[in-house]
Amino acid sequence: MGLFDKLAGWLGLKKEVNVLCLGLDNSGKTTIINHLKPSNAQAQDIVPTIGFSIEKFKTSSLSFTVFDMSGQGRYRNLWEHYYKEGQAIIFVIDSADKLRMVVAKEELDTLLNHPDIKHRRIPILFFANKMDVRDSLSSVKVSQLLCLENIKDKPWHICATDALKGEGLQEGVDWLQDQIMQSNQNNENVRA
């Protein structure tokens, strides 16, 4: 596989990556994913995800398959069925929803302690979304409330975002792409 990856890089082929997009309902997951797609593939109207949907988008060196998982309480137990296939996680937080920050932390803790995630060095990108909303929490405050500083065994990054305008999204995707590329290089070095 390492040789194929190198050949794909030389030929300009893109490596496909499976990304789980998680977060509570109404946090902006689907809007974020929609904004990451090329403008000609973006939906005009965003509706809440029921169960999950699969979306694809590309960056300069990676082709992302994103599993947009519903954040409604009755669907959250579906998340764990996709943990094994996930190579990266985008966790979206509604930074204006102070009341449910505790619920978001509980879901994050459940995710981090799941056997399919716990011992993997999987990158996690946090989007503190809805930064444009009055009285929303800063990404630093969201980080503190979620106790992100306690995540020692996985690379993580948090960005303040406004999914409706696309602000902050590119920084996050660039970070995630760098983490995935580093992980692939480290895996190739281990095999060599």
Side-chain angles (χ1 to χ4, degrees):
M1 180 141 158
L3 183 58
F4 178 76
D5 289 340
K6 288 179 185 173
L7 180 61
W10 292 330
L11 295 175
L13 301 175
K14 296 180 188 262
K15 178 170 179 58
E16 185 147 335
V17 179
N18 292 327
V19 179
L20 301 176
C21 188
L22 309 172
L24 301 184
D25 53 312
N26 201 36
S27 59
K29 298 178 299 296
T30 304
T31 304
I32 286 172
I33 293 168
N34 188 58
H35 204 85
L36 295 174
K37 296 189 298 188
S39 56
N40 62 345
Q42 291 178 1
Q44 295 299 315
D45 298 316
I46 304 296
V47 296
T49 303
I50 304 298
F52 73 96
S53 67
I54 299 173
E55 301 287 346
K56 294 180 181 272
F57 68 92
K58 295 178 181 177
T59 64
S60 59
S61 57
L62 294 173
S63 176
F64 288 90
T65 298
V66 181
F67 295 86
D68 180 6
M69 307 300 294
S70 175
Q72 294 177 9
R74 64 178 177 246
Y75 294 112
R76 287 186 213 137
N77 61 345
L78 292 176
W79 295 0
E80 66 184 50
H81 298 290
Y82 297 89
Y83 290 169
K84 281 186 182 177
E85 290 89 34
Q87 295 162 283
I89 295 170
I90 296 174
F91 197 93
V92 182
I93 304 103
D94 180 346
S95 60
D97 190 353
K98 298 175 185 110
L99 292 176
R100 293 197 312 157
M101 201 60 66
V102 172
V103 179
K105 181 178 181 345
E106 287 173 1
E107 292 297 341
L108 176 61
D109 290 345
T110 300
L111 163 74
L112 293 173
N113 288 310
H114 191 278
D116 292 336
I117 299 292
K118 188 173 188 167
H119 301 293
R120 292 173 56 203
R121 188 171 159 71
I122 184 169
I124 306 174
L125 172 60
F126 294 93
F127 281 133
N129 195 30
K130 303 185 183 181
M131 67 176 189
D132 58 311
V133 176
R134 187 177 162 168
D135 296 329
S136 62
L137 300 170
S138 69
S139 59
V140 171
K141 187 65 177 170
V142 170
S143 176
Q144 291 170 345
L145 290 171
L146 296 179
C147 301
L148 298 184
E149 69 279 0
N150 293 336
I151 303 174
K152 307 282 189 206
D153 59 344
K154 294 169 185 28
W156 63 269
H157 182 71
I158 188 166
C159 298
T161 59
D162 174 355
L164 293 175
K165 295 179 184 167
E167 292 175 11
L169 299 179
Q170 192 60 52
E171 172 196 340
V173 172
D174 290 346
W175 176 86
L176 193 60
Q177 178 175 293
D178 290 346
Q179 291 300 311
I180 292 166
M181 298 302 281
Q182 283 178 6
S183 175
N184 289 339
Q185 289 173 346
N186 291 342
N187 289 340
E188 285 181 18
N189 291 339
V190 168
R191 283 187 224 129

